[in-house]
Amino acid sequence: TSITHLTTGATGIGTASGLPPGVNATWADNIITISGIPTSAATYLYSIPLTGGCGTINATGTIKVNANNTVTTQSATPTPCIGTNMTPITHNTTGATGIGTPIGLPSGVTASWSADKITISGIPTIAGTINYTIPLTGGCGTVNAIGSFTVIESTVDAGSDMAAICQGTESPSLGGTYGGAGATGAVWSSSVGGTFLPSTAWSNTTTWTPPANFSGTAILTLTTQGACSSVSDSKNITVNPSLPVSVTISSNDADNTICEGSAVTFTATPTNGGGSPSYQWLLNDAPVGTNTNTYTTSSLHYGDRVKVVLTSNITPCPTGNPATSNEITTTVNDNQPVRVAIYSREADNRI
């Protein structure tokens, strides 16, 4: 702001003394004008002699030049976890009497000013690199406190639900990922127990085997470990029950004892055979018959052994497939010739 002095009688001014560097005095139309841009802070007592006219007169006054506001660099560069209290950042100021509206601070983090100090604190709610600007108010100059800090987090993705497996079998690789600067690792867990190989620690090759005899839906959960609070994600895997395949045979001859040449029918009764099982009948371990659940023969001999091999088409988890039945050994009795004799009471058959 310019300073003026009104004069009368003078025709000009002499050399001013005591003005701040960068400030000068001019005279025109009976007005002394002091203006300029001071470059040094201090209190200045100036004197400007009038010239012309009568007497020795000086225009005098005081100019106090205040220093521009200053602010220090940030006191720390914390890396807080999202959702947790951050280590406060401070800036020391001079000249200012407060701060304006901060720019760039995330939700949950605020800046305050007191006793020539800016304090940035709070609980950040977003992750990433935060660049902030805080304008000083009051005092001289346009000065901003600037700085940055990084908010870290943990992320995890268990992946999509897995394809079903059979009871007692090992799953494919579980997959899943974890990330973020807040996570240094992750571990798997299961809602029903079981075994993770090579361990519960996440790896590209981790697999899971359900507990013995378990069937149903299991929840597999991947949980982060590290500097930040754990986060978890889950997926489902269905364990289908085992379907044991078996077959028994029976004969239509109750005691498996027949006469030579008699026809015998053997019938197979499957368990978990599926909709279209296949049958291979065996007589003394040699293939016979057709692909049906019955076998009929009239050519059995004493001690012949009959059994069947069943191949099931049941899905999804057959066990013991193909299955071999019990074996039936048949006793075959020789046919006995029937004879009849007649005789007469007359010895020579003459009467």
Side-chain angles (χ1 to χ4, degrees), residues 164-169 190-195 208-220 236-243 317:
I165 61 174
C166 292
Q167 193 174 45
T169 62
S190 163
S191 62
V192 298
T195 304
W208 176 72
T209 301
N213 301 320
F214 172 79
S215 63
T217 298
I219 301 171
L220 304 180
N236 295 331
I237 183 170
T238 297
V239 180
N240 290 317
S242 297
L243 301 174
C317 297

Side-chain angles (χ1 to χ4, degrees), residues 129-147:
T129 298
I130 307 300
N131 297 301
Y132 62 85
T133 299
I134 304 171
L136 304 188
T137 59
C140 297
T142 301
V143 178
N144 296 300
I146 60 173

Side-chain angles (χ1 to χ4, degrees), residues 3 16-25 33-35 44-48 63:
I3 299 171
S17 62
L19 289 176
V23 175
N24 54 56
T33 301
I34 301 169
S35 61
Y44 296 89
L45 303 175
Y46 64 86
S47 179
I48 306 169
I63 298 175

